Amino acid sequence: MRPDSTPTDRLTALGHQLVEIHLWLLDELDQLRTGLDDGPPADTGPPAGTGRPAEAGPPADAGPSADAGSPAEAGPSAEAGPHEAGPPTGTGRRATGPADERPSAAGRLHDLRTHCLSFCTALTRHHTGEDAGAFRVLADEAPELRPVLDQLSRDHRMVDWIVRRIEALVADPPVDDPTALDRVRVELDGLSAILQSHFRYEERTLTAALDTLGDRAGGTEELLGVTPPPDW
């Protein structure tokens, strides 16, 4: 849970619920990245960061338009996107104990598998929930936002492409591949940068419009796909 957040502090307006969901997802992602770094790095430097053949690029329609300024155009391993440049939250910490007391790279991947797959599922549900819920409602009630909504949906497809690569890497981590941990780290770092920029842009452009909907359009989970756990 964020240090400055308590259940009584949370606002029920849908736009504020969106911000809470984003903070929760970023916190979960930061925990995963820190967990990967709780030990010595693999001996081999990180490769290009793909768990699939090099030719398996993102969906053709996932890329942003040239003038949209979308965070997705930064690519999976870029720094923070163009909406608001800034470093990803949490840089992870290295354990300082003897190397032989720390888990191996394969062991760390195995230990993080459930948490990572749960995070990927929550992020996907959030984005698919927005596409089918809040975005459709806003497109009807605020037609001027349709270009923004289309851009955000394209970003969702780009993020989904990265998420599927991460899922493939951690679903069955190889025990004899010293680069597996580095590949996951590269993907998570790139995802963190993209999500922070994407989330800031979405909050800046949609929060006010979402707040005007109230509860007449549906509940948080119906419109935004997920709700943060109550103890977050």
Side-chain angles (χ1 to χ4, degrees):
M1 181 183 294
R2 292 183 298 120
D4 59 346
S5 175
T6 65
T8 56
D9 291 332
R10 300 187 179 191
L11 303 177
T12 57
L14 195 60
H16 289 86
Q17 290 297 313
L18 176 70
V19 174
E20 288 291 308
I21 290 169
H22 289 171
L23 290 171
W24 166 57
L25 290 171
L26 288 175
D27 182 66
E28 291 295 309
L29 179 54
D30 191 49
Q31 290 182 46
L32 285 172
R33 296 169 65 217
T34 300
L36 281 181
D37 287 336
D38 276 345
D43 293 336
T44 305
T50 174
R52 294 184 176 182
E55 65 273 16
D61 63 345
S65 57
D67 59 350
S70 163
E73 67 182 286
S77 60
E79 297 299 326
H83 295 313
E84 289 188 35
T89 56
T91 57
R93 296 181 296 278
R94 304 280 184 189
T96 57
D100 58 359
E101 294 180 2
R102 288 172 252 161
S104 66
R108 274 175 278 154
L109 274 182
H110 184 273
D111 292 343
L112 289 170
R113 177 180 180 275
T114 299
H115 187 187
C116 188
L117 293 177
S118 295
F119 164 76
C120 289
T121 297
L123 178 59
T124 298
R125 285 179 179 172
H126 171 50
H127 284 168
T128 56
E130 285 183 318
D131 290 337
F135 287 7
R136 289 188 178 183
V137 173
L138 289 175
D140 289 338
E141 300 208 6
E144 69 277 8
L145 289 175
R146 288 176 182 172
V148 171
L149 298 171
D150 288 343
Q151 184 60 63
L152 290 169
S153 290
R154 287 195 294 271
D155 290 352
H156 289 175
R157 292 193 289 274
M158 171 65 81
V159 169
D160 181 64
W161 177 64
I162 301 170
V163 165
R164 285 186 281 113
R165 291 212 313 259
I166 294 171
E167 289 174 330
L169 284 168
V170 302
D172 187 19
V175 296
D176 56 352
D177 183 358
T179 70
L181 188 71
D182 285 323
R183 294 205 302 272
V184 174
R185 182 184 290 113
V186 168
E187 296 293 357
L188 290 178
D189 287 350
L191 180 62
S192 177
I194 290 173
L195 283 181
Q196 287 188 72
S197 185
H198 171 79
F199 286 166
R200 285 193 295 261
Y201 177 64
E202 183 174 25
E203 291 163 11
R204 189 169 65 246
T205 55
L206 298 187
T207 298
L210 288 170
D211 282 344
T212 65
L213 295 180
D215 58 3
R216 58 189 169 82
T220 301
E221 194 161 347
E222 180 181 358
L223 295 175
L224 302 179
V226 295
T227 56
D231 59 346
W232 180 75

